[in-house]
Amino acid sequence: MERTPDDTLYPPIEPYESGMLDVGDGNLVHWEVCGNPDGKPALVVHGGPGSGCNPRSRRYFDPDRYRVVLFDQRGCGRSTPHASDPATDMRHNTTAHLIADMERLRDHLNIDKWLLYGGSWGSTLILAYAEEHPERVTEAVIPAVTTTRRSEIDWLYRGAGQLFPEAWDAFRAGVPETSDPAGLVAAYARRMESEDAAVRERATADWCAWEDAVLSMEAIPGPAPYSGRPGREQLALVRICSHYFAHGAWLEEGQLLARAHRLTGIPAALIHGRFDLAGPLITAWELNRAWPDAELTIIDDAGHMGGTATRRAVLRALDGFARNR
């Protein structure tokens, strides 16, 4: 199927197959498949962590050439139990669990290898999965590169306060029980486990306000990226985000860059906005230097959420990789 002009997404499509996969620990992960049943397998790995998959992601793939799999990571979207429910046990929601879920889903769908697509937190999970199972990855397309190092977390929830001091003061004031600015994420994670619904809701609003402030210099149409989400989805997103980031995503500092040699032989398109304040360009630059088969495209007029040029680069990469069977 052809597109015109070259930054136009493919037409909307609906899944032809979907289900709930039992991944253990009482968790059911929602998945769906769309496109060509005989096409090149590709997995969409959403961000957040905890944002849930977006139907718009289907439209980056040529439906005649790709068999596109989307899934909601544990605790969010249509997966159950939902992290917005305070009774949901977060001990069984870690990076290692998500990697195992992806492998279980691949096996369930009888897929030998697949292309991986996703950005922001999705890129961290893609890298962690690909370094653990390089034999299962054909290519990767990653906009908004992150590796969730503690230094990256510290920048997003403390360092970026130098650019938005009034918003950061409000973010810090949301957890008056901690006097250490480096402990804000952990303090929010503790609040999201409170038995008091009002405490959880206030922490969610404060967290989302800060995240929106970091993205406020980008021209983003529609509702605010974080506080514009439905309440239940906000609660799950903040609970999962703070849970993961308080633990450094259960990764050794710099682990994904240090193990990037395991990605040798996997072609990749890294696409990153120069003005990405949520995830500065240096991470994509370092990954590109460590990954011999990756090609970095820097979008000079884009931030974390991308735009026309970012969309064009993603489509070009996915269309190009579609020829590899």
Side-chain angles (χ1 to χ4, degrees):
M1 181 178 294
E2 295 185 358
R3 296 173 290 101
T4 54
D6 65 357
D7 63 338
T8 301
L9 299 178
Y10 287 98
I13 54 175
E14 294 298 321
Y16 63 79
E17 185 180 12
S18 64
M20 299 289 284
L21 180 66
D22 187 341
V23 294
D25 310 310
N27 282 271
L28 297 176
V29 166
H30 179 272
W31 59 269
E32 63 181 45
V33 188
C34 55
N36 182 350
D38 298 318
K40 178 184 178 71
L43 178 69
V44 175
V45 184
H46 69 67
S51 68
C53 63
N54 186 335
R56 179 181 169 88
S57 298
R58 305 170 189 159
R59 300 183 59 195
Y60 281 93
F61 298 85
D62 184 339
D64 291 338
R65 298 195 287 178
Y66 275 105
R67 177 188 179 193
V68 187
V69 182
L70 296 89
F71 75 111
D72 292 315
Q73 294 162 29
R74 291 191 183 203
C76 68
R78 290 155 290 182
S79 294
T80 61
H82 204 263
S84 61
D85 181 350
T88 297
D89 189 346
M90 297 298 287
R91 291 178 302 167
H92 304 301
N93 197 332
T94 70
T95 302
H97 285 100
L98 299 187
I99 292 172
D101 294 349
M102 292 163 68
E103 268 297 271
R104 195 179 300 236
L105 178 59
R106 183 193 60 75
D107 185 64
H108 176 72
L109 296 175
N110 197 29
I111 292 172
D112 182 45
K113 299 180 180 182
W114 45 14
L115 175 148
L116 303 179
Y117 164 70
S120 195
W121 159 255
S123 67
T124 292
L125 185 52
I126 283 172
L127 294 169
Y129 173 89
E131 290 179 3
E132 192 70 23
H133 302 285
E135 74 285 356
R136 297 303 182 187
V137 182
T138 55
E139 304 92 3
V141 177
I142 303 175
V145 177
T146 72
T147 64
T148 314
R149 289 174 290 184
R150 286 159 183 81
S151 59
E152 295 171 53
I153 298 168
D154 183 67
W155 162 260
L156 179 55
Y157 298 105
R158 188 170 68 95
Q162 299 174 70
L163 303 175
F164 307 100
E166 69 281 26
W168 190 76
D169 276 354
F171 180 57
R172 183 173 179 176
V175 284
E177 65 272 20
T178 180
S179 59
D180 179 9
L184 293 183
V185 172
Y188 271 96
R190 288 191 293 270
R191 286 196 162 225
M192 292 306 297
E193 298 304 316
S194 172
E195 295 181 357
D196 188 335
V199 170
R200 298 194 304 274
E201 290 168 4
R202 181 70 259 167
T204 295
D206 290 341
W207 182 285
C208 289
W210 168 247
E211 294 274 15
D212 285 340
V214 175
L215 300 177
S216 62
M217 295 178 68
E218 302 186 30
I220 306 168
Y226 284 82
S227 56
R229 296 169 183 261
R232 178 173 179 265
E233 302 306 320
Q234 280 189 49
L235 285 164
L237 177 63
V238 175
R239 190 178 181 202
I240 295 171
C241 274
S242 58
H243 170 64
Y244 271 73
F245 296 159
H247 292 89
W250 298 271
L251 300 170
E252 295 295 326
E253 183 68 355
Q255 173 182 324
L256 299 181
L257 289 173
R259 299 180 68 196
H261 63 276
R262 294 178 59 83
L263 305 173
T264 299
I266 301 174
L270 310 178
I271 302 156
H272 206 94
R274 189 176 296 279
F275 298 112
D276 186 339
L277 298 183
L281 176 59
I282 184 63
T283 297
W285 182 263
E286 291 170 338
L287 179 60
N288 184 60
R289 296 181 67 180
W291 188 347
D293 298 283
E295 179 179 345
L296 173 62
T297 299
I298 299 172
I299 309 298
D300 282 327
D301 63 350
H304 193 70
M305 302 296 287
T308 299
T310 301
R311 184 166 61 248
R312 184 179 297 128
V314 169
L315 288 165
R316 184 167 57 247
L318 289 171
D319 285 349
F321 287 146
R323 304 185 192 103
N324 301 339
R325 291 300 303 271

